[in-house]
Amino acid sequence: MKQIQMVDLKGQYERIKQEIDLAIVECLDSAAFINGPQVNEFRQKLEEYLSVKHVITCGNGTDALQIAMMALNFKPGDEIIVPAFTYVATAEVIALLGLTPVMVEVDPETFNVTAPIIEKAITNKTKAVVPVHLFGQCCDMEPILNLAKHHDIHVIEDTAQALGALYTFSDGTVKSAGTMGDIGCTSFFPSKNLGCYGDGGALFTNDTKLGERIRMIANHGQAKKYHHEMLGVNSRLDTLQAAILKVKLYKLDEYAAARNKAANYYDAVFNGVDGIKMPKRQYNSTHVFHQYTLLLDGVDRDSLKNYLEEKGIPAMVYYPIPLHLQKAFETDRYGEGDFPVSEKLCKQVLSLPIHTELDEEQLAYITQNIISYAIKQRQYA
Ligand SMILES: *Cc1c(COP(=O)(O)O)cnc(C)c1O
C-alpha cells in the first residue's frame, strides 16, 4: 500500500507533470515573472468558471481578506462578525486594521455560521460579516444575505476552503461559493482545493466599482503608475503560480469529484457507528471536501489520533483552539464557556486524510482501523 498522507501533493503533480512542466518552462523562457500574460489568462478563466464579473488575483488568502476589508472603507472601531471556529486569518486582518472582530458561535452540525447566530451579534457598529465556508461546504447563504441586506451590512465570504462549491437559492438560482456576497476571498495555498506551488490568492466581486478599488489597493493604491490615490499594499499572484493554476483549474471539478468519492466511502463505513458522527451534508450546497471532519462523541479524539499515527494514518485537528480563546485575541469581551459549540468542536473534531489521490486500499485501511478502535474503546468505556 502506498504511504497514506493527509494531502498528496506529489502524487497529484506526477499525474499532470507534463502540462505543469511545460507551463513553467514557458514562464522561464519569457522571463515575465511579474504580471506575465498567464496572470490575466488565469484571471479570465477563473471569472468564467465562477460566473463572476471580476476576479482580482493577489499574493495569498490572508491578503485577499485584508484587501477586502480595506476596499470597503471600514473605520477603526467598526465591528466585523466572524466565526469563533475558523482559521486565524479571517479575524487577524480585521484586528490588524484596527477594526473589531466580533466572534460568534457556529452550527454544531455544519460547523458554519448561520443567520440566527449572526443576528444576535449585530449592533449599530456592525459593518460586515465574514461567513467562512468551512471545510468545503457553503454556509446557508440565502438567510445570511437577507439578514445583511436588512441591516445594511456587507458580506465578505471566506471561500479559501470551498472554491468550486455551489449553493442553490430557494428560487433555483445556483451560485459559486465566493460570488454571493459583496466580496469573496480565496487562497491558492498548495493544500487548498485549487492549490498552486507557493502562495497565491484572489478576490471576487460582481460590483465593478468595488473591483476597481480592490485592483488599486492590491497595487499600491494606483491605477496609473506612480499616481497613488489611496493607501494600498503590494500583493500579486506571480506568473509562475498563475501558469500552474491555469493548468489545475481545468482539473478542479475532477478533483472535487475525487474528494467526494473518498468522502462517500468514509460516509458509507461510518454511517450508524456509535460515537462517530459524519460531516453533515447540507441540502442546498455541494461539498468540495477540503476536509473530511468527524465529530467524535464517546470516542476519545486524541487517543484515536495517536492510535492512527501508530498505524501510519495521519489525522489532523482543525482547529484545536477557538479564536476567542487565542492569546492574540485576548479581550475582556470573551472567555471560556462563551461559545460552547466551538469549544466542544475543538475537543472532538478529527479530520481524516482526504485528497485527490486516495485509493480504495488506503480508504479501507483507514476506516478499518478507526472502526475497530472505536468499538474497542466503547467496550471498555
Ligand atoms: C487558508 C485559509 C486562509 C488564508 O489563506 P493563505 O493563503 O494561507 O493566506 C484564510 N481563511 C481560511 C478559512 C483558510 O482556510
Side-chain angles (χ1 to χ4, degrees):
M1 188 176 66
K2 246 185 13 187
Q3 195 193 333
I4 300 170
Q5 295 180 59
M6 209 50 206
V7 185
D8 185 0
L9 296 178
K10 191 155 190 291
Q12 194 190 54
Y13 163 63
E14 273 158 10
R15 283 203 290 138
I16 53 172
K17 183 172 162 44
Q18 268 190 326
E19 290 161 86
I20 292 279
D21 290 4
L22 192 67
I24 289 177
V25 169
E26 255 175 40
C27 291
L28 299 180
D29 281 341
S30 74
F33 299 120
I34 299 293
N35 288 335
Q38 290 88 341
V39 179
N40 217 15
E41 287 160 17
F42 168 65
R43 177 187 60 76
Q44 277 175 359
K45 292 288 172 210
L46 191 55
E47 283 170 357
E48 281 167 31
Y49 176 83
L50 296 170
S51 295
V52 71
K53 275 196 196 141
H54 306 282
V55 166
I56 300 97
T57 54
C58 67
N60 57 65
T62 308
D63 276 4
L65 287 159
Q66 179 175 336
I67 293 164
M69 301 291 160
M70 291 170 76
L72 289 167
N73 258 331
F74 300 137
K75 304 277 176 301
D78 285 352
E79 295 179 353
I80 318 291
I81 297 173
V82 297
F85 187 66
T86 182
Y87 183 57
V88 65
T90 320
E92 191 176 36
V93 299
I94 296 169
L96 270 176
L97 291 171
L99 313 170
T100 306
V102 172
M103 287 155 196
V104 295
E105 190 59 290
V106 295
D107 179 86
E109 291 190 306
T110 63
F111 314 144
N112 278 332
V113 290
T114 64
I117 291 172
I118 296 164
E119 187 164 27
K120 279 189 239 147
I122 293 178
T123 71
N124 55 10
K125 290 187 188 155
T126 307
K127 289 290 150 62
V129 58
V130 187
V132 180
H133 306 307
L134 203 71
F135 301 152
Q137 184 169 236
C138 294
C139 297
D140 194 3
M141 286 303 286
E142 186 164 358
I144 293 175
L145 293 168
N146 289 337
L147 178 76
K149 200 167 173 189
H150 181 73
H151 289 274
D152 196 24
I153 62 176
H154 292 289
V155 176
I156 301 162
E157 297 173 70
D158 181 342
T159 189
Q161 301 186 2
L163 198 68
L166 298 172
Y167 179 85
T168 305
F169 288 78
S170 52
D171 68 357
T173 311
V174 177
K175 288 190 183 172
S176 278
T179 69
M180 297 176 268
D182 298 277
I183 302 177
C185 297
T186 204
S187 162
F188 304 122
F189 186 82
S191 63
K192 300 283 153 99
N193 287 38
L194 179 60
C196 58
Y197 297 168
D199 275 308
L203 299 98
F204 320 134
T205 186
N206 282 306
D207 180 330
T208 301
K209 274 221 172 97
L210 197 51
E212 270 165 31
R213 267 184 73 80
I214 291 169
R215 211 168 289 119
M216 285 171 72
I217 290 169
N219 183 26
H220 296 296
Q222 63 189 346
K224 194 171 158 202
K225 209 164 170 63
Y226 304 124
H227 291 69
H228 305 278
E229 289 178 40
M230 59 188 93
L231 289 180
V233 295
N234 171 25
S235 187
R236 292 184 286 240
L237 181 69
D238 68 63
T239 312
L240 277 168
Q241 302 308 338
I244 290 159
L245 288 167
K246 222 179 85 186
V247 173
K248 291 186 74 181
L249 179 58
Y250 289 108
K251 317 268 175 198
L252 186 56
D253 287 342
E254 189 187 312
Y255 288 165
R259 287 171 177 273
N260 267 277
K261 202 171 155 208
N264 290 341
Y265 188 105
Y266 283 140
D267 273 6
V269 177
F270 296 136
N271 190 17
V273 176
D274 265 0
I276 298 180
K277 224 166 122 192
M278 318 177 295
K280 179 178 170 170
R281 316 254 189 140
Q282 205 171 285
Y283 73 98
N284 52 5
S285 172
T286 62
H287 204 318
V288 293
F289 286 103
H290 176 62
Q291 299 298 343
Y292 183 92
T293 304
L294 295 176
L295 188 62
L296 301 165
D297 206 353
V299 175
D300 184 70
R301 192 261 318 266
D302 293 330
S303 53
L304 171 61
K305 184 174 183 289
N306 289 339
Y307 174 81
L308 293 176
E309 246 154 51
E310 280 165 26
K311 298 278 174 187
I313 301 168
M316 296 288 281
V317 175
Y318 303 115
Y319 295 92
I321 304 171
L323 293 189
H324 69 289
L325 300 181
Q326 294 282 2
K327 211 158 171 214
F329 294 107
E330 218 171 75
T331 124
D332 297 340
R333 218 174 163 131
Y334 316 106
E336 196 152 355
D338 283 351
F339 304 121
V341 173
S342 300
E343 290 169 29
K344 184 176 129 154
L345 291 177
C346 289
K347 295 192 180 91
Q348 298 185 346
V349 288
L350 189 65
S351 296
L352 302 184
I354 193 148
H355 53 75
T356 57
E357 313 302 311
L358 278 172
D359 61 39
E360 290 226 351
E361 190 188 7
Q362 294 173 313
L363 287 164
Y365 179 76
I366 296 167
T367 48
Q368 277 158 17
N369 275 291
I370 294 173
I371 297 282
S372 63
Y373 188 83
I375 290 171
K376 233 187 305 173
Q377 216 194 32
R378 291 184 66 87
Q379 271 171 356
Y380 298 115

